[in-house]
Amino acid sequence: MTTHTDVPVLAIDGPSGAGKGTIARAVAGALGWHLLDSGAIYRALGYAAGLRELDVADVGAVARCAMDLRLEFRDPGDGGDTRVIIDGVDATDALRTETAGAAASAIAALPEVRKALLDKQLAFRQAPGLVADGRDMGTVVFPDARTKVFLTASPAERAERRYKQLKAKGLDVTLASLLHEIELRDARDASRSVAPLRPAADAVVIDSTGQPVAAVVDSVLALVRKD
Ligand code: DC
């Protein structure tokens, strides 16, 4: 596989609900760069493993599923969300649920799975640049990224944002259950032995609590333009 190590990368890591997806999409749009939503890859694998009725404890089977996962990201062309196609089927909506997030977090703790998904992520590094959103973009996948941001927000604010998003989609959720789910997921993502969630030593930490999206986008763009 050709890796384009001269292509600039902006790595945006951080916990679930910190606003990485929104910021990454806006910054990629402003720069005209490609976008990698690595969480969607983990979610897609968790979902595909469920469809194939794999036992997630069967590491070999899940890693094989990762290797032959037929994953496609399609721009709908109407400014809407990128569609995620798994084995030819549009699974975008199913991947957004908390169940899919929890399945992703569980399989993401398996080192064999992370290794199997590495090339799929590296392949997104294409000219003129890449904005990569995830948990280990700046630490493991693109350690040579030119700019690294660790985006965070208080658990209460992250739960509140998720609540609004899911309610707007008509899903029946409670704020208390979301906060609980976020705290559990943070603990699992931060404590796993492989690629735990932590800022890269050379990352700039941005706390988006109480900040409007445009202000965070401006801060990130200023960092990219300075690097
Ligand atoms: O960002 P997200 O909520 O879509 O991610 C879903 C899960 O996938 C999250 O709990 C952690 C995992 N993940 C990961 O381990 N590494 C990444 N680079 C992205 C996501």
Side-chain angles (χ1 to χ4, degrees):
M1 189 194 55
T2 329
T3 49
H4 304 272
T5 47
D6 50 334
V7 171
V9 175
L10 161 64
I12 304 184
D13 291 307
S16 177
K20 299 185 302 291
T22 306
I23 303 302
R25 205 173 318 122
V27 170
L31 294 168
W33 286 9
H34 298 281
L35 180 64
L36 164 61
D37 172 2
S38 60
I41 297 184
Y42 284 92
R43 283 170 185 263
L45 178 59
Y47 180 74
L51 280 186
R52 293 177 195 184
E53 297 182 357
L54 300 182
D55 176 357
V56 285
D58 185 348
V59 177
V62 180
R64 276 194 300 282
C65 183
M67 299 294 270
D68 61 32
L69 187 66
R70 282 189 22 243
L71 195 57
E72 227 184 292
F73 291 91
R74 247 182 239 159
D75 181 347
D78 59 2
D81 289 352
T82 305
R83 309 306 298 179
V84 186
I85 319 292
I86 304 172
D87 290 340
V89 178
D90 188 328
T92 317
D93 295 333
L95 294 187
R96 287 202 193 98
T97 62
E98 290 304 301
T99 320
S105 174
I107 55 143
L110 306 171
E112 294 81 353
V113 165
R114 302 197 74 84
K115 200 160 159 256
L117 293 179
L118 196 58
D119 281 354
K120 281 196 174 22
Q121 297 174 79
L122 293 175
F124 280 78
R125 190 173 192 169
Q126 302 284 344
L130 173 68
V131 179
D133 148 10
R135 303 293 191 290
D136 60 345
M137 299 296 100
T139 49
V140 177
V141 181
F142 302 107
D144 63 336
R146 197 159 82 184
T147 312
K148 298 181 187 180
V149 168
F150 191 84
L151 190 63
T152 182
S154 69
E157 178 144 339
R158 288 155 49 209
E160 181 90 31
R161 290 177 188 166
R162 202 60 144 205
Y163 180 76
K164 284 189 191 144
Q165 257 176 9
L166 296 175
K167 275 286 177 193
K169 293 197 176 89
L171 293 170
D172 185 22
V173 283
T174 67
L175 192 55
S177 69
L178 283 177
L179 181 58
H180 179 65
E181 184 57 42
I182 277 183
E183 286 172 341
L184 280 181
R185 191 119 70 89
D186 279 0
R188 199 163 44 215
D189 292 345
S191 65
R192 67 179 176 226
S193 58
V194 52
L197 175 65
R198 60 172 174 79
D202 48 351
V204 175
V205 178
I206 298 181
D207 186 340
S208 70
T209 310
Q211 285 206 59
V213 170
V216 180
V217 169
D218 285 349
S219 308
V220 175
L221 282 172
L223 285 174
V224 174
R225 290 179 174 140
K226 169 177 84 54
D227 283 339

